[in-house]
Amino acid sequence: MTGRPLTVMLVAAEASGDDRGAGLARALKQRLGDRVRFVGVGGQRMAAEGVASPFDIAELSIFGLAEGLMAWRRVVRRADEVAALAARERPDVAVLIDSWGFTLRVAQRLRKLDPKLPLVKYVAPQVWASRPGRARTAAQAYDLLLTIHTFDAQLFEKEGLRTVFVGDSTLAIDFGAADPARLRATIGARSDEPILLVLPGSRPSEIERVMPAFEEAVHRLKAERPDLHVVIPAAPTVAEAVKARVAGWPHRAHVVEGEAAKRDAMKAATVALACSGTVTTELALAGCPMVVGYRLGPLTYAVLKRLIRTKYVTLFNIAAQDFVAPEMIQDDCNGPALAREVAARLDDPELRARQVSRQSEALAKMGRGGADPNDVAAGAVLELVGDR
């Protein structure tokens, strides 16, 4: 590789993958300096680390069978574009992050383009929860799996896939610089006034399906508690859609953007109402009690209900094997039920304290305090390239 930098292709298709891709890029730059360059697909965080995406990844933030079918042509077209980018840039390794369906299509095209190109899958498909056949598919498609869960390795190594546990980069988030007083000053909230944090997801489909129930819950809570401040940290992929919805609310809600503002809000919040996803781990790290909600399309839910082998969807609930945070899924994710669970926590400081303590215990089971996942991932990628 003398004479030119190591060229790393990073491909992420949604907000959590964008965050992991950015962390991996930073770790690789710390190790290699100007001897590494990046090509690929990502969002704002990866762009800040030097990954110039040829298209907006918001259109690939898809979850659900019906949504997937409707987006199939677009997904195929974008996978073709990634392959064309690889043909032009000739990467030395490709790291495909989360987003199982899209990244698998990309992997198949890259393998056909260059059978010798090392392919890395970052974040395993959740075969422990459903569709165990994906472990064999992953073993056939990739050379290395970087997993964020300790229990993944045995499921994939038995299919012959080299697997490295790197840990969840979310667990390494540092809230030391977060300033709850700054958030309160920004929104005009006194120190004794409650703050409800609303996190409706990072996919357009989540805003469409989850936000109506969250809205109804917020309206009910606000009607009963005029001093309640509502703050909505908006992911870049859905910020404009969130702002458009909130503009029509009958009461004030503060939409904040950017990582610093989000972390300030998480530390300042009394309670959070959160869409299931990576953000629940972030909230637990910030010491914020929460109620988790999620809704799927009817067809997707009917299929997944038959396939899912775990009764929990929140990662720290899975680690604890208990409903540390209440999960309101599908029909249970409705305005009155969500408002009831949030109200119980707004009104009971002891309940909030118990939940925060149990969330912290669950984070320890997930591996909080371990080695930096970004650095471990960078080392594994470079080892694979060296082996080749």
Side-chain angles (χ1 to χ4, degrees):
M1 293 184 294
T2 57
R4 76 179 184 100
L6 178 73
T7 300
V8 179
M9 170 169 267
L10 299 173
V11 178
E14 53 191 347
S16 59
D18 181 40
D19 185 59
R20 288 192 171 91
L24 177 55
R26 283 194 301 273
L28 287 168
K29 285 190 289 186
Q30 288 170 358
R31 286 172 174 253
L32 300 178
D34 59 4
R35 292 182 293 118
V36 63
R37 75 181 187 100
F38 303 102
V39 299
V41 172
Q44 293 180 4
R45 296 182 184 93
M46 286 170 61
E49 301 300 332
V51 184
S53 183
F55 53 82
D56 186 349
I57 64 170
E59 65 183 65
L60 294 174
S61 294
I62 302 160
F63 190 82
L65 297 178
E67 293 89 344
L69 289 171
M70 290 188 291
W72 183 79
R73 290 182 182 275
R74 183 168 70 248
V75 168
V76 169
R77 183 175 72 252
R78 293 310 194 189
D80 288 340
E81 290 181 31
V82 177
L85 177 64
R88 293 193 303 272
E89 299 292 344
R90 301 180 61 81
D92 298 297
V93 61
V95 183
L96 311 182
I97 308 167
D98 216 338
S99 303
W100 170 256
F102 175 68
T103 54
L104 180 61
R105 288 181 173 86
V106 172
Q108 292 165 342
R109 284 158 176 76
L110 296 182
R111 185 68 80 201
K112 185 176 181 180
L113 178 71
D114 181 1
K116 295 182 179 180
L117 176 66
L119 299 181
V120 181
K121 184 73 177 77
Y122 191 176
V123 184
Q126 295 177 339
V127 299
W128 47 268
S130 68
R131 289 169 282 190
R134 287 182 171 183
R136 180 168 298 177
T137 301
Q140 293 168 345
Y142 299 100
D143 301 297
L144 172 66
L145 172 66
L146 305 179
T147 177
I148 65 173
H149 302 306
T150 55
F151 48 77
D152 277 329
Q154 60 181 341
L155 303 173
F156 292 88
E157 287 176 340
K158 70 179 183 180
E159 299 294 344
L161 179 57
R162 179 176 173 180
T163 303
V164 174
F165 168 67
V166 301
D168 189 346
S169 59
T170 307
L171 293 172
I173 291 176
D174 182 5
F175 280 88
D179 187 349
R182 180 168 55 199
L183 185 280
R184 286 185 175 272
T186 299
I187 67 173
R190 297 195 308 268
S191 61
D192 61 338
E193 291 179 327
I195 295 176
L196 172 63
L197 203 60
V198 180
L199 300 119
S202 60
R203 298 183 180 103
S205 62
E206 289 169 340
I207 301 304
E208 178 184 344
R209 298 191 185 283
V210 176
M211 192 63 157
F214 280 22
E215 285 175 336
E216 183 181 353
V218 171
H219 297 338
R220 286 171 174 264
L221 292 161
K222 183 68 176 174
E224 297 171 356
R225 298 167 177 79
D227 65 339
L228 180 65
H229 294 267
V230 180
V231 178
I232 309 176
T237 47
V238 295
E240 295 308 312
V242 169
K243 290 176 189 175
R245 294 192 72 111
V246 171
W249 286 12
H251 52 78
R252 180 75 184 274
H254 304 271
V255 178
V256 299
E257 297 180 76
E259 285 300 300
K262 181 178 77 171
R263 291 177 190 176
D264 287 351
M266 287 181 171
K267 291 294 288 185
T270 310
V271 180
L273 176 57
C275 178
S276 175
T278 304
V279 74
T280 58
T281 301
E282 295 181 62
L283 287 165
L285 286 166
C288 180
M290 74 199 79
V291 175
V292 180
Y294 206 78
R295 291 186 71 94
L296 296 162
L299 176 60
T300 303
Y301 181 72
V303 173
L304 288 182
K305 191 175 181 180
R306 295 176 177 273
L307 296 175
I308 295 294
R309 299 184 293 175
T310 175
K311 60 181 178 180
Y312 310 104
V313 300
T314 305
L315 286 177
F316 63 75
N317 282 350
I318 293 170
Q321 285 297 291
D322 195 9
F323 288 106
V324 174
E327 297 178 352
M328 317 300 284
I329 308 301
Q330 209 61 10
D331 292 342
D332 291 335
C333 184
N334 61 72
L338 293 170
R340 182 178 63 251
E341 292 291 342
V342 172
R345 286 152 181 80
L346 286 171
D347 297 340
D348 189 343
E350 292 184 2
L351 175 58
R352 295 199 301 271
R354 286 196 302 271
Q355 183 170 332
V356 168
S357 176
R358 295 189 66 207
Q359 287 173 181
S360 182
E361 292 170 0
L363 292 174
K365 293 181 180 179
M366 291 170 61
R368 180 178 58 178
D372 180 1
N374 295 320
D375 189 57
V376 177
V381 169
L382 293 177
E383 183 179 351
L384 177 66
V385 173
D387 290 347
R388 293 299 180 98

